[in-house]
Amino acid sequence: INIVLVEGVRTPFLLSGTIYNDFMAHDLARAALLGLLNKTSLPKDAVDYIVYGTVIQEVKTSNVAREAALGAGISEKIPAHTVTMACISANQAITTAVGLIAAGQCDVVVAGGVETMSDMPIRHSRKMRKTMLTLNKAKTLSQRLTLLSKIRLGYLTPELPALTEFSTNETMGHSADRLTAAFGVSRREQDEFAFRSHSLAKKAQDAGLLSDVLSVNVPGKGIVSKDNGIRPSSMEQLEKLKPVFIKPHGTITPASSSFLTDGASAVLLMSEEKALAMGYKPKAYLRDFVFVSQDPKDQLLLGPSYATPEVLEKSGITLDDIDVFEFHEGQILANLKAMDSDWFAQTCMGRKSKVGVLPIEKLNLWGGSLSLGHPFGATGARLVTAAVNRLKKEGGQYALVAACAAGGQVVFDL
Amino acid sequence: RRAQFRKFGCFCVNFSRTHVNYEVKEDVAVIRINDPNSKVNTLSAQMESELTQVMNEIWANDAVKSAVLISTKPSCFIAGADINMIQACKSAEEVTKLSQEGQMMFDRIEKSPKPIVAAINGSCLGGGLEFAIACQYRVATKSKKTVLGTPEVMLGLLPGAGGTQRLPKLVGLPSALDMMLTGRNIRADKAKKMGLVHQLVDPLGPGLKSPEERTIEYLEEVAIGFAKGILSKKIPLTKEKSLMQSELQDYVMGIEFVRKQIYNTVNKRVMKQTKGLYPAPLKIIESVQTGIEQGPEAGYLFESQNFGKLAMTSESNALIGLYHGQVACKKNHFGTPQKEVKTLAILGAGLMGAGIAQVTIDKGIRTVLKDTTEEGLNRGQQQIYKGLDDKTKKKSITSFERDNTLSNLIAQLDYQNFDKVDMVIEAVFEDLHIKHQVLKEVEAVIAPDCIFATNTSALPIKDIAAASKRPDKVIGMHYFSPVDKMQLLEIITTDKTSKDTTASAVAVGLKQGKVIIVVGDGPGFYTTRCLAPMLAEAVRVLQEGVDPKKLDSLTTGFGFPVGTATLADEVGIDVAAHVAEDLGKAFGTRFGGGNVEMLKAMVEKGFKGRKSGVGCYLYKEGTKNKEVNPGFQEILGSFKMTPSAAVSSDADVQYRLVSRFVNEAVLCLQEGILSSPVEGDVGAVFGLGFPPCLGGPFRFVDTFGADKLVQKMKRYEEVYGNHFTPCQLLLDHAKDSSKKFHK
């Protein structure tokens, strides 16, 4: 079965704590879903299945896909589920959809992702939760009072959702700074790349190339139709920034790391037969994908280096055949160096020689996660849509999408 | 043009130096140290002289504005002074001179007009730390291998190159005393908190080079950055004192009265712990005190003079001997085993079995723990979990590492998959019939090349192996309780045990982190056999009316870490009775003295020692003060013996206990149970708590004098008979004072 991408959309990606401040995750997901249905004029009962990816889950809407679907007026008879795989959650949603179609389970699937960092579930401490749960079971007043009297001030310290790896207790930023050091990525190179990302994003935005961005009406605040994190500045300004994770000698600054972002994305996938039967003109074929995983401490963000050669070999094409590269901009420079290193290929990847030099002139030409933002759960679908739109615009044949995530990673070949 | 010059301005200077080199990067001199002949860097004569040369060149070179000091070894900055260099000295004056040379060198480093940044990766100990704290700035990697400390006290010495003077200024009086008196290793993150280092650098994973190589390179890059930052005044040299606590501490420490109180308290604590048997800790306190109260000149002088004096003490000699012995017993002298043990099975999930499992699973070896009952198995698993969880609470491992480690443990009640096991260690009840039964059961299910090790404290291995179809694969592995704390492993080979089996057992023991002695077979092997006569003597002493508390204070006063009565309770009165009876049968009246029946009477009453809550003492949870068990005193009453006044002074009681221990140890060497005095000393100290300040039974004979010991024993022999008959080897040494066990 040929699986095709009919359309992809996303809400504008906004800095957390700005206009989406009052939205819950399912609100954003609903906006993306509705936008997709409206853009494609897809009848609400034509969808067979909905899959969404998200990272930090709102406990009230743990199956955020289902809540968004119901809110978007999609028939309650259509099942939906939510997946999570750190920063490649949306990629996981898309590949899940591909699997459902390939297995003949469904013909039409909406896959997407959502993240809001404006509102995060902050919990009571474990001790406090335990006391409160026991309190529920206490029968008499004196039992309750005894329990309450055991509460100490320390119990009230809240627990914030962690952006740390559970297994290593290291924050992503810290790990990334170590990774750049391991590959000898200089501060200058990172600043230059950040500058490039913002400049390209700005250009694409001004030229109207970011056609996947929807207009979203935010109650009480108005209509948003542009990403608000794109800030082209000068190298001089970037040089002045101080490192954020490893102080004072680290190399990653606020400019060379993604800001906290809110946003949602969605893609419409169908079997080719169904798409044609419904009168759609598919934008691209989804050919192949792989997931890989490595040591969560020292190779946390190196997924693309491992996955790129694997998926190319699987599809029988080479790096030179690819016209469009859309890579998640999380430690992309370290990945580029890794792919260009014989030592790394031989020692860590078990390959005879290096993967090769990735042509930077084909990479992320419309900006990337550094400039557009990175709502964890939603980025994967943005990458795929951007790759597809660039293929059409630039007239290429193959696109490669890669992203790194905590522990796992994915590559598409379009 | 100038820029070009700078680009190529990195010139390497390398004449005929082998240990220290330097390279000038822009205006920073990078000094790299590496002893080509050793795994670790030590401050040997060669190293010191090359360092001095290099420093002189750097100070004379106008193109150099600052320096970085770094080791190119992957896990060692400088591990300390060269012990052999100190040991080669013949007099205190010679050692004092060494100390003064070190002091002078570090004084010049401290006063260097060009800032020096010490870039530390791996062990930074003793003289290495003294060097580092003389530098203007310290950057350390957060690697697990990076440890800082002043272990001199463990060798009976004091930090003799300015450590007692600089450390209090750097980390404050209490922390400095704590470091120098315990000699413990401090991890990098703790060192940062204490103010021992200024900055931390994260170890790197694989990138374009190996992690080790790149981490050192990165450390160097970062250190160069700091060196430049110090010159440009962007990096302050003063300690960050934002914490109220440290300001408060500084204020309090400024009061003479408070300091006096501290010296007194610490002195008292040291006296209580060492019973005055170890001179080094007291001299450390005194040296610190002299420096603070009388000024640096007096302080440095005191330090160097006492460093010299301490180096000549028998205690230091004993401790250094033990250090060398420990290093020797951490090597496999039997070659590489044909097959690596990847899966280990342990039979019996008791205290021992579970303890052995705990020290195995964290080395990545799959470990099957088998017991016969669900309760037993559960108890063992709980013990292992608690052992690991305690480490998590102390933050020496993460909860993830704990869980990951536990995933290597397979608990089961049957022999499922025993055909895939490489080695079995049985730790079932000490009864020959049960051991035979287990051996047969196991041999029926294991692969032909699987090794069968038996953990027993007294049963001869050949008796156990008698039931085996393949005695070449049978070996004894005697662990000491608690296994995760006690360092010693006594491996026992029979005539039939193959060399490969031995190599394999030693390899497993080393992986478990043990210090290993390999001894011949016989009742009680080496350790239990030495302990038995001493315990027999202790029972007699008690029967003669010495109070258990008195007995304890006499033995701890001699340097044993645990008193003999308490030790008996810890070992278990039932075990002691069992061993005494078995060895009594094997060795005859020589092992007599106290009445075994008294131990049996205790067991009958349920006074089995600590594990049953009553033994010689009463044990109550939550309190450390223990009372003598009145029931035990009643039993003592019915076994009363009359002491002989001629041999019952406090000192005589001490020597009666120790001489029987020592004589038996020497006899073990004479009979070939032991292959060397070194192993005898290591086994006695690490397994049985023989006083470390005496260095072990053999070192004790050398220092005390075999003739003096024999004289004492002859006096006791007149009263008690053959219990005190010196063995031939001891007599030989007594006759010829030039005969020494240690060269």
Side-chain angles (χ1 to χ4, degrees), chain A residues 166-168 170 174 177-179 181-184 246-250 298-299 302 337-338 341 343-344 348, chain B residues 139 142 199-211 214 218 221-222 226 235 398-401 403:
Chain A
F166 180 73
S167 60
T168 59
E170 187 180 21
H174 201 273
D177 210 321
R178 283 198 305 116
L179 192 73
F183 283 95
I246 296 183
K247 298 163 194 169
H249 54 271
D298 289 330
Q299 306 203 3
L302 286 178
K337 294 213 177 192
S341 159
W343 187 89
F344 186 81
C348 299
Chain B
V139 188
K142 242 191 271 177
Q199 295 290 345
L200 296 180
V201 168
D202 289 280
L204 301 180
L208 303 178
K209 287 176 185 172
S210 79
R214 177 64 193 142
Y218 177 54
E221 289 165 17
V222 173
F226 282 118
I235 303 285
T398 66
S399 60
F400 178 77
E401 284 166 327
D403 299 345

Side-chain angles (χ1 to χ4, degrees), chain A residues 106-381:
Chain A
C106 306
D107 286 323
V108 180
V109 183
V110 175
V114 62
E115 204 71 45
T116 174
M117 300 296 285
S118 293
D119 180 30
M120 288 189 277
I122 297 171
R123 303 200 295 179
H124 271 298
S125 68
R126 179 78 186 254
K127 281 175 181 161
M128 189 65 189
R129 298 203 305 268
K130 216 169 166 180
T131 312
M132 288 160 90
L133 289 170
T134 327
L135 205 58
N136 273 341
K137 289 185 210 146
K139 291 202 175 71
T140 66
L141 182 65
S142 77
Q143 277 178 345
R144 281 186 204 126
L145 287 175
T146 323
L147 276 170
L148 286 172
S149 72
K150 282 187 188 149
I151 296 175
R152 299 282 169 271
L153 201 62
Y155 283 27
L156 299 174
T157 318
E159 266 178 24
L160 293 157
L163 291 181
T164 54
E165 277 289 297
F166 180 73
S167 60
T168 59
N169 219 6
E170 187 180 21
T171 66
M172 183 83 70
H174 201 273
S175 187
D177 210 321
R178 283 198 305 116
L179 192 73
T180 56
F183 283 95
V185 182
S186 69
R187 166 74 189 263
R188 173 103 196 150
E189 286 172 286
Q190 293 183 68
D191 285 350
E192 277 168 1
F193 192 82
F195 182 72
R196 171 189 191 270
S197 182
H198 280 277
S199 312
L200 289 175
K202 177 75 179 146
K203 239 171 114 191
Q205 193 178 48
D206 291 347
L209 294 173
L210 304 179
S211 59
D212 55 336
V213 179
L214 302 165
S215 285
V216 175
N217 191 324
V218 182
K221 292 187 178 159
I223 293 171
V224 237
S225 48
K226 271 187 177 176
D227 303 322
N228 71 357
I230 306 172
R231 280 171 301 178
S233 62
S234 64
M235 282 300 289
E236 290 70 38
Q237 276 173 305
L238 293 178
E239 275 163 12
K240 277 185 204 147
L241 295 171
K242 287 198 169 144
V244 266
F245 301 110
I246 296 183
K247 298 163 194 169
H249 54 271
T251 53
I252 300 185
T253 66
S256 45
S257 49
S258 304
F259 46 87
L260 293 181
T261 318
D262 303 340
S265 55
V267 292
L268 177 58
L269 303 181
M270 293 189 191
S271 62
E272 184 179 22
E273 208 180 346
K274 180 77 177 178
L276 296 176
M278 288 181 79
Y280 288 111
K281 205 174 155 213
K283 283 190 163 177
Y285 293 106
L286 298 186
R287 287 292 181 212
D288 219 332
F289 63 87
V290 296
F291 287 89
V292 296
S293 71
Q294 303 85 34
D295 165 24
K297 179 148 185 73
D298 289 330
Q299 306 203 3
L300 185 64
L301 305 167
L302 286 178
S305 306
Y306 284 86
T308 299
E310 221 176 282
V311 81
L312 288 176
E313 274 159 28
K314 222 174 143 211
S315 328
I317 51 176
T318 66
L319 211 52
D320 298 335
D321 296 326
I322 305 289
D323 304 300
V324 167
F325 291 90
E326 277 294 325
F327 275 33
H328 171 47
E329 290 177 347
Q331 288 332 300
I332 192 165
L333 293 172
N335 275 291
L336 295 185
K337 294 213 177 192
M339 284 192 263
D340 194 21
S341 159
D342 279 325
W343 187 89
F344 186 81
Q346 286 155 7
T347 318
C348 299
M349 294 167 68
R351 302 179 64 85
K352 286 205 186 82
S353 60
K354 64 187 181 183
V355 180
V357 181
L358 207 88
I360 195 140
E361 65 281 2
K362 294 181 184 173
L363 175 75
N364 298 3
L365 293 184
W366 295 354
S369 296
L370 289 181
S371 47
L372 302 172
H374 174 38
F376 309 137
T379 290

Side-chain angles (χ1 to χ4, degrees), chain B residues 326-393:
Chain B
Q326 197 185 6
V327 171
C329 292
K330 280 208 170 249
K331 286 185 184 137
N332 195 341
H333 305 285
F334 297 85
T336 312
Q338 281 169 19
K339 194 177 164 198
E340 192 193 342
V341 172
K342 288 181 178 152
T343 308
L344 178 77
I346 297 163
L347 306 180
L351 216 55
M352 269 294 176
I356 300 169
Q358 190 190 319
V359 298
T360 313
I361 52 175
D362 62 349
K363 312 303 180 314
I365 300 173
R366 264 167 79 87
T367 306
V368 178
L369 184 64
K370 182 199 172 299
D371 203 287
T372 47
T373 67
E374 189 116 331
E375 298 99 276
L377 201 57
N378 176 45
R379 200 215 60 80
Q381 282 177 280
Q382 297 294 345
Q383 179 190 329
I384 295 168
Y385 180 83
K386 188 172 179 295
L388 293 174
D389 197 46
D390 287 348
K391 282 192 179 176
T392 313
K393 283 182 185 144

Side-chain angles (χ1 to χ4, degrees), chain B residues 7 21 107 147 280 293 331 407 451 463 480 488 557 656 700:
Chain B
K7 206 170 168 190
N21 269 303
D107 184 58
V147 287
E293 309 303 332
K331 286 185 184 137
S407 72
I451 292 164
D463 292 356
F480 293 76
L488 191 71
R656 274 163 55 191
F700 169 71

Side-chain angles (χ1 to χ4, degrees), chain B residues 647 649 651-652 654-656 659 700 704 706-718 724 726:
Chain B
V647 291
S649 71
D652 277 330
Q654 287 175 326
Y655 281 106
R656 274 163 55 191
S659 63
F700 169 71
F704 186 75
D707 49 341
K708 269 173 74 190
L709 187 65
V710 166
Q711 269 172 33
K712 279 190 189 287
M713 288 185 75
K714 291 246 159 104
R715 205 152 56 76
Y716 307 144
E717 192 182 13
E718 275 170 31
F724 288 97

